[in-house]
Amino acid sequence: MVPLDLTPHHFWMLLVIAKAAPLSLGELARAMWMDNPTVSRMVQQMTQRGYLTVGPDPNHGRRIRIRLTPEGVALNENLVEISEGLRGQAEKNMTDEETATLRDLLCKYIRNLDVMVANDLPGVPIRPHHAPEAPGKLPSVS
């Protein structure tokens, strides 16, 4: 992501926030499969660059809520276009059926990883999964 001066993790983080904001730090960390301190540093970096804003959660005194700034929203338009292009290239020469099968298998794989994490690390919250919008479709951040 050099042309935008973003790391792949920052790229992904901004897409996730755009799709699901406002998010708490813990929700963002789970969505990205990362620990809270790492995500906190990333949020701080993107806040300093003007792409994110962090404010208090009105329903929880110690929790923050993370959102895109207007500059972050404008940047996100470019990120969505880039991510769609990347997805298109990754799925090039695949039939719709092959793409659906791949997405279904990847969803199963991720659910299995979540179970492994939950069983090996008691008390660690499992990354929430939402049912695909349609059969064969992964929830998407783009």
Side-chain angles (χ1 to χ4, degrees):
M1 304 298 100
V2 174
L4 298 173
D5 195 29
L6 296 174
T7 68
H9 286 108
H10 288 123
F11 182 96
W12 181 27
M13 180 180 72
L14 292 170
L15 286 171
V16 168
I17 293 169
K19 189 79 166 182
L23 291 169
S24 71
L25 186 65
E27 290 166 339
L28 180 58
R30 281 189 299 279
M32 295 185 63
W33 286 57
M34 300 176 90
D35 61 74
N36 284 9
T38 301
V39 172
S40 178
R41 284 188 298 275
M42 291 171 57
V43 167
Q44 183 179 17
Q45 291 165 349
M46 292 294 98
T47 300
Q48 290 171 347
R49 292 181 59 186
Y51 298 131
L52 297 179
T53 184
V54 176
D57 184 330
N59 301 317
H60 191 288
R62 294 177 44 202
R63 185 177 296 149
I64 61 166
R65 289 290 173 185
I66 304 162
R67 294 176 176 83
L68 295 177
T69 62
E71 293 82 5
V73 171
L75 174 63
N76 186 63
E77 293 174 14
N78 290 332
L79 302 183
V80 168
E81 186 177 322
I82 292 168
S83 69
E84 288 172 356
L86 293 170
R87 177 175 296 162
Q89 287 298 310
E91 295 175 354
K92 189 175 179 178
N93 299 321
M94 293 175 67
T95 66
D96 290 343
E97 183 179 335
E98 290 169 332
T99 301
T101 299
L102 176 61
R103 289 175 191 256
D104 287 342
L105 292 171
L106 288 171
C107 282
K108 285 182 183 180
Y109 190 88
I110 290 169
R111 283 191 298 272
N112 289 341
L113 292 174
D114 280 342
V115 169
M116 289 169 48
V117 168
N119 289 335
D120 290 343
L121 302 171
V124 174
I126 299 176
R127 179 175 175 249
H129 284 285
H130 305 285
E133 296 171 11
K137 289 191 83 174
L138 266 180
S140 172
V141 295
S142 63

